[in-house]
Amino acid sequence: MRSAVASAGPALTRDDFQSDQDVRWCPGCGDYSILAQVQRVLPELGVPKENIVFISGIGCSSRFPYYMNTFGFHTIHGRAPAIATGLKLARPELDVWVVTGDGDALSIGGNHFVHLLRRNLDIRVLLFNNQIYGLTKGQYSPTSEQGKVTYSSPMGSIETPFNPMRVALGANASLVARSLDRDTKHLQMVLKRAHEHQGTAFVEIYQDCIVFNKDTFAPLTDRETKDDNVLYLEHGEPMVFGKERDKGIRLDGLQPRVISLTDGQHSVADLLIHDEHDRYGTLSDILATFQERVGFPRPVGIVRNIERVCYEDVMLEQIDKAMARSGPGDLAALLAEGDTWTVGPNGS
Amino acid sequence: MTQRLEVVNEVTIRFAGDSGDGMQITGDQFTNTSALVGNDLSTLPDFPAEIRAPAGTLAGVSSFQVHFSSFDIHTPGDSLDVLVAMNPAALKVNLGFVKPNGIIIANTAQFVSKNLRLAGYAEDPLQDGSLASYQVFPVNITELTAHALADIPDLTAREIERCKNFFALGIVFWLFHRPMEHTIRWIEDYFTKRRRPKYVAANVSALKGGAAFAEATELFATTYEVRPAPLQAGLYRNLTGNTGLALGLLAAATRSGLQLFYAGYPITPASAILHDLSGYKRFGVRTFQAEDEIAAAGAALGAAYGGALAVTGTSGPGIALKQETISLAVSVELPMVICNVQRGGPSTGLPTKTEQSDLFQAIVGRHGEAPLPVIAASRPSDCFDAAFEACRVAIKYMTPVILLSDGYIGQGSEPWRIPSVPDLPKIDVPERPAAEGFAPYLRDPDTYARPWAVPGSPGLEHRVGGLEKSDVNGHVSYAPDNHETMTLNRSKKVALVAREMPPLEVHGDPDGGKLLVLGWGSTYGAIRTAVERCREAGQSVSRAHLRWLNPLPEDLGDTLAKFERVLIPELNLGQLLTFVRAKYLIPAIGLHKVQGVPFTASEIQSAIEELL
């Protein structure tokens, strides 16, 4: 729940959202772009600046609130969702954003992350996924690929990585989206859609760590390769991709297939149509598997967007109901509830 | 046989049986009726951590002790006048607490070979003469309950069996001339709400059957009466510490005008606070059952950041998990109250038993220099006042406060004189700072509190976090001098809380003497009783009780110096003792007990007598 009031004051600009702190990410870090897109989008949302709160955990991404001229709380490694939950329950009218990273959200904070999505508070979660621990100087993260050689895995990481989208869908997140730091227009669109959503909006943002994991997402962001590797999802549209828009996704039974639209055997009519609102998540579950399928494009955009009741709305409804049923609480009556007895002045 | 009525001043009864025998309900009913007839009282519920330990075993024994009197008492009683033993295991576990010539009411139906073997009896103690120094009343409670319920249709043998605790209660009610109306009303209410009307008739018949049996068979040659205690005038109710704590938090919210937010994760023996507050929705209380202890602390901190009166509650293992968040609360200087209903540790330890072993954890259990005020409740009724005070100080000084209770006072009960709401002090909430000249760490010169600049306030947009902040403007700073300044500021703020404390009361010889017994928390009742007994016997012993453990009262050092010796009884291995020795450089003496049960007054009395 957020109050629907638009700002009555003068229109805000990107500058209004820049704090007086020097930004201290490594030059060239993808975080700069994400910060810029958030600062560009916020003035268009009509929310008074003082009602916006950024809450972060620990890690490079989590320095984000210091650079926003809104309310900001840089908290504890992994715990931002819990702190954001308390704030939202106490102040549902606020516009609360959680900024986190792959280590923060999926390793140390995995528990709070899934429970926030499950409860569906009206909060936006921006997960900057660079598939590495940056702030601690380059250890493998829960999203690093198997076999990754880092300081803590000199012979290669043994671990199977998390697919963040699958984790979010497994927690029944009501909005699941993905975008890229380098694709500024797309990222702005996704941020706006996430903000429109009533419920927990999970946005995975591929972010380039130029120091410890440089160019991990280059195939998805480089001009020459990206169109062949990225599937831009649009609700109600067939799943077409490729530089020449010559490829698509078809469903054979339960298995998606990449098909050619130029081989004379298939046409757009054969393709899967994207449906954000697929209630049971069958389609989004399939889309989430693309990153594990060889030769498949990486879906970006709004993967899932369904309506689910927000936790805080029901909490307030219950309070209203309790007040309607028995009237507002009377403390004196409560203290004297149950069996009481009176002792007279003479101790009788 | 003529029955004799004897008037006695105090009685201690323990109801003991298997975990599923309903001993807690039975004890509760006897307690509430005793409260309603005007006795002073104190209770000690004691039950295993397992929901249903194997029937008939020593491990499965659950008991409820109630001490009631015609005068002012402070403990649940050192030894038992009456033991109700529903099976051989209950007898075996509790016999050692029964006074010589004390009354034992035993359910003979359970004294069969299998149960005797489970309890470790080679012979039936009811038959072998080993109980000759007690007044033993063997009663086939199970069979007599079945007779009493013979006219009630559609009851299974199991359902009949489950009414036997009320038959036993009927016997004890009759022995002590207690009215049954209250319990009958409770049974009606309880089973009607649960849509089990046939259980109303069954349990009421069992209760009345027990009393009728005791009367008709002239079971007891003597019956007893305990007259009302002369309590201070006022309206009273019986109160457990956990309920008192919940009410104290709500009262603080009401008197401060703040929204009460409570986050918790289920844990024995603190869950009752979450349960109680979840039932106060009509007061606008917002409760949150978090996914874990860490999240509960985090949610409370988030709510505090948003301007609520934020509280989280738990027991020792949960505090360990919350400490990182509490450190952040110290760093960002936001008010919140963390309740610790202590239990036996380390680790899962004794989840249903009491201990005072989290004092170190409360005072110094965080990382970095992270001081915060620590307050301890001394008895069930004091949980209300301590909770209220913890909230007041948290808000005034913008600091997290740890409130220590424990399983004994949290689950135990006593009469509580209900305070008048308008007489409760008003809690002042600092005004929101003005945007002009606002700085997030610009302190109030008097309290050292920083402004509570909550989101939603135009012009107060700012950033806080766990990184060290520059004095006044709150920007991230790693400057060496600034870190020391901020560390000292946080420390000084907590030290200022000592101003909130009234002069330390010394009961006995305020000008000094041979021995001072210094207590904190739930040892209050046992210490008070022991010291009063010793003084009645003419011994030079005084007592003082600490409400705040951090900071310690400013006059504590002078008080301690007036006494030749200082004794500190604690349900731990000497935690307050360590602080007192370190701070005041005196050879204070510890008295330790870590058995999961409170001190008896006699144990403390013996320790005093040894030192005098």
Side-chain angles (χ1 to χ4, degrees), chain A residues 19-21 24 49-55 63 65-77 79 82-94 111-113 115-116 118-119 311 315-316 318-319 322-323 326-332 334-348, chain B residues 35-36 38-39 182 185 229-238 247 250-251 254 259 261 280-292 294-295 298-299 301-303 305-306 308 324-325 328 332 334 384 415-416 418-419 421 424 453-467 475-476 478:
Chain A
S19 79
D20 57 356
Q21 298 298 293
R24 290 203 222 161
K49 199 162 56 124
E50 66 272 15
N51 280 0
I52 299 174
V53 186
F54 280 85
I55 298 185
R63 298 297 174 96
Y66 288 117
Y67 310 131
M68 294 295 302
N69 189 18
T70 61
F71 280 88
F73 196 173
H74 177 219
T75 70
I76 308 170
H77 206 9
R79 317 301 171 209
I83 290 164
T85 295
L87 175 63
K88 189 69 185 175
L89 295 183
R91 301 285 305 281
E93 76 279 14
L94 296 174
N111 196 30
H112 312 304
F113 174 70
H115 287 280
L116 172 62
R118 171 178 74 85
R119 291 191 183 103
Y311 182 102
M315 178 193 74
L316 293 176
Q318 288 189 350
I319 288 171
M323 285 181 174
S326 45
D330 173 351
L331 181 61
L334 178 68
L335 297 186
E337 208 174 65
D339 296 312
T340 59
W341 68 98
T342 303
V343 174
N346 53 0
S348 60
Chain B
L36 288 173
N39 297 135
H182 166 79
R185 237 185 311 126
L231 299 170
Q232 197 186 346
L235 182 66
Y236 282 80
R237 67 183 276 189
N238 189 38
L247 292 174
L250 181 61
T254 306
Q259 171 204 120
F261 178 87
Y280 300 161
K281 290 188 172 40
R282 64 188 185 280
F283 291 87
V285 176
R286 298 180 188 185
T287 55
F288 175 60
Q289 181 175 310
E291 60 270 24
D292 60 28
I294 297 172
L301 183 59
Y305 177 63
E324 189 188 21
T325 309
L328 177 60
V332 295
L334 283 168
F384 178 89
W416 177 51
I418 300 167
V421 172
L424 293 170
V454 303
S457 318
L460 300 188
E461 296 85 354
H462 68 284
R463 278 61 59 193
V464 290
L467 290 171
H475 294 157
V476 172
Y478 307 132

Side-chain angles (χ1 to χ4, degrees), chain B residues 396-412:
Chain B
K396 181 170 177 181
Y397 292 89
M398 288 289 283
T399 177
V401 173
I402 289 185
L403 165 59
L404 295 174
S405 172
D406 61 37
Y408 165 43
I409 56 173
Q411 298 177 136

Side-chain angles (χ1 to χ4, degrees), chain B residues 572-595:
Chain B
N572 61 44
L573 296 183
Q575 300 192 2
L576 176 63
L577 181 74
T578 303
F579 287 118
V580 166
R581 283 180 176 175
K583 178 157 187 189
Y584 302 105
L585 304 175
I586 59 163
I589 300 154
L591 174 64
H592 318 307
K593 182 176 183 181
V594 281
Q595 299 172 8

Side-chain angles (χ1 to χ4, degrees), chain A residues 251-302:
Chain A
L251 201 59
D252 285 350
L254 287 175
Q255 296 303 327
R257 308 269 181 233
V258 174
I259 58 170
S260 165
L261 296 174
T262 55
D263 62 1
Q265 296 179 22
H266 300 100
S267 74
V268 170
D270 294 320
L271 301 183
L272 255 177
I273 307 290
H274 184 45
D275 178 8
E276 296 172 4
H277 310 306
D278 176 15
R279 176 89 221 150
Y280 297 102
T282 314
L283 184 61
S284 49
D285 284 350
I286 290 170
L287 287 168
T289 67
F290 282 19
Q291 79 173 67
E292 289 134 37
R293 293 174 189 268
V294 178
F296 272 68
R298 201 66 62 91
V300 303
I302 309 298

